[in-house]
């Protein structure tokens, strides 16, 4: 298998939403989108594959060094290096993404909503923007604001969905200031107890995600159709937020939309040329 084939398989297995969205991109650039998203998978799952934060730091440093050494012999790194060179992707964006992911290695609380939005910007918004650059052939796609709002909406929704996973390993991405506003005891979250206060805190976070999604939708109206595959994953955010804001929502239940429904939503958005 070539480095790009390996990258595609990683995304297909571990980030199916983005994998399906990438399939709607032109074949000429599809493998480069998959290389970008495979790199994100590798960096995002460091916490899951190490037993100690120090080992995580070493792994993140490996990826950071690999940006300087054409992939450092790793197939995903090699595919990404070719993609970065072909489309002149800014190295600083990858450096910032890796640096932001260092937060994942520890159990420190997310201090504030502002900090969470910053984290989402570095880890999620940058992916939308770099995907748009790839689809624009390396030119400035004029989507910086759209990518910023898209990334925050997508990341916050994903973090709400992953609350039971994170709580189970002692992580908490719901910001401390949001929890304090609603009087949420952190220990109840780690114990997996659903309370009205927690649902109110999640509701506030979902409301922030919804506002970013709405702004992204407005900005997307002037975006060339050729760039829309970069933003297709946003089609899943609205339905997820609808589910999360229902009175009967259970934040510690892992069940959500079926894979088939998620695939259908992406297909419909691609057909309509909108999310």
């Amino acid at each position: 298998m070539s480095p790009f084939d390996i990258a595609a398989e990683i995304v297909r297995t571990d980030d199916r939403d983005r994998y399906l969205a990438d399939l709607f991109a032109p074949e000429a650039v599809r493998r480069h989108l998959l290389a970008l998203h495979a790199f994100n998978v590798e960096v995002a799952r460091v916490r899951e594959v190490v037993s100690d934060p120090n080992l995580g730091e070493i792994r993140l440093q490996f990826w950071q060094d690999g940006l300087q050494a054409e992939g450092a012999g790793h197939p995903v790194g090699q595919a990404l290096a070719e993609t970065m060179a072909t489309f002149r992707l800014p190295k600083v964006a990858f450096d910032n993404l890796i640096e932001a992911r260092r937060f994942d290695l520890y159990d420190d609380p997310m201090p504030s909503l502002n900090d969470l939005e910053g984290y989402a910007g570095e880890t999620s918004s940058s992916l939308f923007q770099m995907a748009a650059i790839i689809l624009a052939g390396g030119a400035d796609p004029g989507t910086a604001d759209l990518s910023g709002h898209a990334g925050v909406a997508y990341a916050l929704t994903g973090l709400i969905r992953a609350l039971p996973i994170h709580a189970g390993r002692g992580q908490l991405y719901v910001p401390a200031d949001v929890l304090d506003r609603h009087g949420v005891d952190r220990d109840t979250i780690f114990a997996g107890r659903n309370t009205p206060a927690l649902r109110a805190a999640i509701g506030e976070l979902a409301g922030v995600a919804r506002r970013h999604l709405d702004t992204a939708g407005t900005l997307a109206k002037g975006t060339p159709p050729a760039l829309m595959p970069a933003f297709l994953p946003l089609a899943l955010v609205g339905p997820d937020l609808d589910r999360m804001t229902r009175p009967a929502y259970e934040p510690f239940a892992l069940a959500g939309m079926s894979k088939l429904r998620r695939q259908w939503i992406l297909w419909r958005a691609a057909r309509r040329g909108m999310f």
Side-chain angles (χ1 to χ4, degrees):
M1 295 177 70
S2 73
F4 284 99
D5 290 336
I6 293 171
E9 182 61 20
I10 288 171
V11 183
R12 187 189 69 81
T13 302
D14 295 309
D15 191 352
R16 190 160 180 81
D17 290 344
R18 285 196 177 98
Y19 175 79
L20 292 172
D22 289 345
L23 294 182
F24 290 102
E27 186 175 357
V29 298
R30 190 181 303 150
R31 66 177 189 156
H32 295 291
L33 292 173
L34 290 165
L36 170 67
H37 293 144
F39 165 79
N40 179 62
V41 169
E42 292 289 348
V43 175
R45 68 181 176 188
V46 166
R47 164 83 182 232
E48 301 171 21
V49 300
V50 299
S51 57
D52 180 86
N54 291 326
L55 296 176
E57 293 279 4
I58 292 171
R59 189 171 286 255
L60 288 179
Q61 190 61 51
F62 165 83
W63 284 107
Q64 200 147 33
D65 294 343
L67 296 176
Q68 304 279 6
E70 297 185 351
H74 192 288
V76 170
Q78 292 170 347
L80 180 67
E82 182 176 330
T83 296
M84 291 176 67
T86 301
F87 299 97
R88 301 181 296 281
L89 299 181
K91 179 179 175 295
V92 65
F94 293 92
D95 286 332
N96 291 343
L97 187 154
I98 292 171
E99 190 61 34
R101 284 293 181 185
R102 295 187 191 280
F103 178 86
D104 301 349
L105 303 178
Y106 304 93
D107 295 336
D108 298 333
M110 183 65 70
S112 69
L113 180 57
N114 186 61
D115 289 309
L116 179 59
E117 289 178 308
Y119 169 90
E122 300 293 2
T123 59
S124 181
S125 298
S126 62
L127 289 177
F128 282 107
Q129 179 66 357
M130 287 188 282
I133 292 173
I134 290 171
L135 287 165
D140 180 359
T143 56
D145 287 344
L146 169 56
S147 296
H149 290 285
V152 177
Y154 192 78
L156 266 58
T157 304
L159 289 172
I160 296 172
R161 198 170 63 241
L163 176 65
I165 297 172
H166 294 147
R169 62 191 186 202
Q171 282 181 296
L172 188 58
Y173 287 88
V174 183
D177 59 350
V178 174
L179 295 176
D180 291 343
R181 266 196 294 277
H182 297 280
V184 179
D185 180 356
R186 279 80 167 162
D187 290 338
T188 66
I189 297 177
F190 296 135
R193 293 200 295 271
N194 181 8
T195 66
L198 175 59
R199 289 196 299 274
I202 290 174
E204 178 181 341
L205 206 56
V208 174
R210 178 75 71 179
R211 288 193 292 275
H212 281 285
L213 178 64
D214 290 344
T215 302
T218 299
L219 293 170
K221 291 177 182 177
T223 301
L227 302 181
M228 290 309 293
F231 301 97
L232 269 184
L234 281 182
L236 299 166
V237 172
D240 272 335
L241 290 175
D242 290 342
R243 180 175 58 87
M244 293 168 180
T245 51
R246 290 173 186 150
Y249 176 63
E250 171 50 66
F252 294 103
L254 287 171
M257 285 190 292
S258 69
K259 290 181 179 179
L260 184 60
R261 177 164 173 74
R262 298 181 80 83
Q263 183 172 341
W264 179 80
I265 289 173
L266 289 170
W267 175 84
R268 183 182 61 178
R271 287 291 299 268
R272 293 178 175 180
M274 58 183 292
F275 55 81

